[in-house]
Amino acid sequence: MLSARSLFQEIIDNDDSYQLFCSIAASGEAQGGWENARIAALVPPELQELAPRITRHGADEDKHGRIFNALLKKRGLEPVPVPPEADYTMLLEGRGIGLAHEKLGRDEPLSEEDIVVYLSHSRVTEQRAAEQMDMLLTFFEDHPEVGKAVKMISNDETNHLAYCHEELLRLAAAGHGRTIHRVLRQSALAEIAIYRDVSLAVMAHMGRLLGWPRSKSAVLAAGIHGMYAYERLGGWRRMVSLAMPERRGALDGPATTAPAI
């Protein structure tokens, strides 16, 4: 029977598909680490209290990238290039979601609105990340090879999502509510389409590596399109709601160290 658990187990069990999976994950986390580090360095004076938390966010993302690379090394594998059609972060930037790398590469302070845009975009993408890691935690919490990594990354992504909720609520109370609402909606609608396209691309690559029959690939593609239809009809709204999280101050303090893999 085809299930999410069996699908991920198949990917993990095969060196070629595992190599691509970890390479895509490591690349995305490294990009996120760089982006957050640059944003932290360019925070405007009026929002300087956010800089340590943004720095912590970036340190967590860098740590996740190192974890995925360590998982590859443990199996004697090297990272492989990420297919452009599977590069979630760069495809989001190409759609104008978040802060452009060109802006982050300049040594000019960001505006207060830039920080609002960054946090709104992060609230959407961290929702996706938290959900994905929660699913992997359900399947592989006790897995001898990836269990420790999945636990740590899942906990971090929950912290990141909590931080976005808390800071956006504070900024909304300070008068940025309309901008936050607009950017959240734009980001969510763009993200669900990009997530669909990236999922289709990744599954196509996995299918070739694993030799899936055409019928299996067709069923998986139909499932991805079905998820997009659900999200387009209203599922995207879970990505734009704001509520005070149970974890307050989730990114206060230094980043935790990576587990021994």
Side-chain angles (χ1 to χ4, degrees):
M1 179 180 176
L2 185 60
S3 66
R5 181 190 294 271
S6 65
L7 177 67
F8 278 104
Q9 188 67 62
E10 187 177 0
I11 290 170
I12 287 174
D13 287 345
N14 178 275
D15 279 353
D16 292 336
S17 54
Y18 183 74
Q19 184 179 37
L20 179 59
F21 174 80
C22 288
S23 297
I24 291 172
S27 174
E29 297 287 359
Q31 288 183 54
W34 179 85
E35 289 173 2
N36 279 280
R38 291 302 302 155
I39 292 167
L42 301 175
V43 171
E46 61 271 25
L47 291 176
Q48 271 301 308
E49 73 277 7
L50 274 176
R53 294 172 207 143
I54 300 172
T55 298
R56 162 74 184 275
H57 190 177
D60 283 346
E61 303 287 2
D62 278 337
K63 176 183 66 182
H64 299 167
R66 294 195 303 273
I67 288 172
F68 281 113
N69 282 319
L71 289 172
L72 285 172
K73 185 176 180 180
K74 185 176 181 180
R75 203 182 277 194
L77 302 171
E78 293 292 330
V80 294
V82 175
E85 66 273 18
D87 194 329
Y88 174 80
T89 304
M90 296 309 296
L91 288 170
L92 282 171
E93 185 190 355
R95 285 282 298 270
I97 302 303
L99 300 180
H101 284 191
E102 181 184 0
K103 175 177 284 191
L104 296 181
R106 299 196 296 262
D107 289 323
E108 300 174 5
L110 298 170
S111 68
E112 194 165 329
E113 183 168 333
D114 286 332
I115 300 301
V116 171
V117 168
Y118 148 72
L119 283 167
S120 299
H121 165 249
S122 295
R123 186 264 175 271
V124 170
T125 56
E126 292 298 340
Q127 177 80 37
R128 182 73 71 186
E131 290 174 352
Q132 291 294 300
M133 292 311 303
D134 186 58
M135 177 180 65
L136 290 176
L137 185 65
T138 300
F139 299 158
F140 300 115
E141 181 176 5
D142 298 320
H143 191 280
E145 187 172 11
V146 302
K148 287 183 180 179
V150 167
K151 287 179 190 177
M152 171 165 274
I153 296 173
S154 178
N155 183 67
D156 287 346
E157 299 298 2
T158 300
N159 283 340
H160 299 167
L161 184 57
Y163 144 78
C164 292
H165 275 269
E166 187 172 1
E167 298 302 339
L168 284 171
L169 286 169
R170 187 176 65 81
L171 288 166
H176 294 283
R178 287 187 178 181
T179 300
I180 291 169
H181 176 77
R182 173 177 55 81
V183 177
L184 282 174
R185 188 178 189 279
Q186 290 174 345
S187 298
L189 291 175
E191 193 280 342
I192 62 172
I194 289 167
Y195 181 73
R196 173 202 59 196
D197 294 344
V198 168
S199 296
L200 290 168
V202 170
M203 286 301 105
H205 282 281
M206 294 299 178
R208 286 191 287 273
L209 291 172
L210 293 167
W212 288 342
R214 188 171 300 177
S215 58
K216 182 173 181 175
S217 294
V219 168
L220 290 171
I224 291 168
H225 283 294
M227 174 58 73
Y228 172 72
Y230 157 74
E231 292 193 325
R232 188 65 183 84
L233 287 171
W236 63 271
R237 296 184 186 279
R238 76 189 189 285
M239 296 178 153
V240 303
S241 62
L242 293 175
M244 190 57 69
E246 292 182 10
R247 298 187 186 188
R248 303 289 292 274
L251 293 190
D252 290 342
T256 54
T257 57
I261 301 299

